[in-house]
Structure formats: C-alpha cells, structure tokens
Amino acid sequence: MFETIRKARQIGTIALERVGEYAELLKISAEIQGQNLKKRIVSFVMVALLAVLSLIFLGLAIIVTCWDTPYRVISAWGVAGFYALAAFIAYIAAPSRADSVSAFDTVREELQQDIKLMKDVV
C-alpha cells in the first residue's frame, strides 16, 4: 500500500516538473508551425500568380501567332483545352504534395516517453 502511494507521488512529481516544459515546447512548436504555414502560403501565392500569368501570355502568343492562318479557331480551342487539362492535373497533384511532418510531433514524442516512464515506475 505504501509502495503504491510512493510510486504515485513519484509520478505526480515527474508530471508536475514536466508541465512547464510541455507548455514551453508547445509554444515553440506552435510558432514553428505558424512560420511554416506563412512561408507555404506566400510561396504558393507567388507560384500560382506567376503560373497563371505565364499561361495567359503563352496562350495569347499562340493565338496571335496563328491569327492570320486557317488554324486560328483550332489554336484558340487548343489553348483553352490545355488550360483545362493543366487545371485538372494541378487539382489531382496538389493533395499528394502535402507535407505530413508536423512541428507538434516533438510534443507527442515527449509525452509518449513520459507516459512510458510513468508506466515503468508503476
């Protein structure tokens, strides 16, 4: 009985010591996650903007090049079809590029280690 109380007291002491560390680690992880999200959003917006502009000017160049030929209508529809195909491919490929690594993995690993330690003490 006294052994169980002693072990519970040890677990409580370990848990209290680690609460502050968990809070600090969680704060740091949240800041890292926020910075990563900001970087991703800025880079995605820049890539999307430049890709759209380049596709628009490429399409215009193709149509203007074929303007005085009998292929004017075919080139315009070809450009429109290419845009639709590119949009579809971008939509399909986007979820597969998602980064599954989270800054909160460190917090989870620390919690798992402490839970294992507490189980070993009991």
Side-chain angles (χ1 to χ4, degrees), residues 11 14-15 18 21-22 25 105-121:
I11 291 173
I14 291 170
R18 300 287 288 183
E21 294 171 3
Y22 289 139
L25 189 58
D105 288 342
T106 307
V107 176
R108 186 180 66 236
E109 290 171 3
E110 288 292 324
L111 282 170
Q112 288 174 348
Q113 288 176 357
D114 287 346
I115 290 171
K116 182 181 176 192
L117 176 68
M118 289 180 194
K119 286 180 181 179
D120 291 343
V121 169

Side-chain angles (χ1 to χ4, degrees), residues 9-108:
R9 185 176 292 162
Q10 287 176 344
I11 291 173
T13 304
I14 291 170
L16 286 176
E17 289 174 0
R18 300 287 288 183
V19 167
E21 294 171 3
Y22 289 139
E24 186 67 26
L25 189 58
L26 190 62
K27 179 183 172 187
I28 293 170
S29 296
E31 289 174 2
I32 291 171
Q33 195 73 8
Q35 289 175 354
N36 289 342
L37 181 63
K38 287 177 187 176
K39 288 178 185 177
R40 282 186 183 174
I41 289 172
V42 168
S43 65
F44 177 73
V45 167
M46 291 301 295
V47 167
L49 177 66
L50 293 175
V52 167
L53 286 174
S54 67
L55 283 175
I56 288 171
F57 285 115
L58 176 67
L60 286 174
I62 291 171
I63 293 171
V64 167
T65 302
C66 298
W67 192 258
D68 289 332
T69 67
Y71 302 110
R72 176 180 4 173
V73 175
I74 293 172
S75 67
W77 280 107
V79 168
F82 174 75
Y83 287 166
L85 180 64
F88 179 73
I89 290 171
Y91 175 75
I92 295 298
S96 64
R97 295 185 346 170
D99 190 15
S100 63
V101 177
S102 173
F104 295 104
D105 288 342
T106 307
V107 176
R108 186 180 66 236

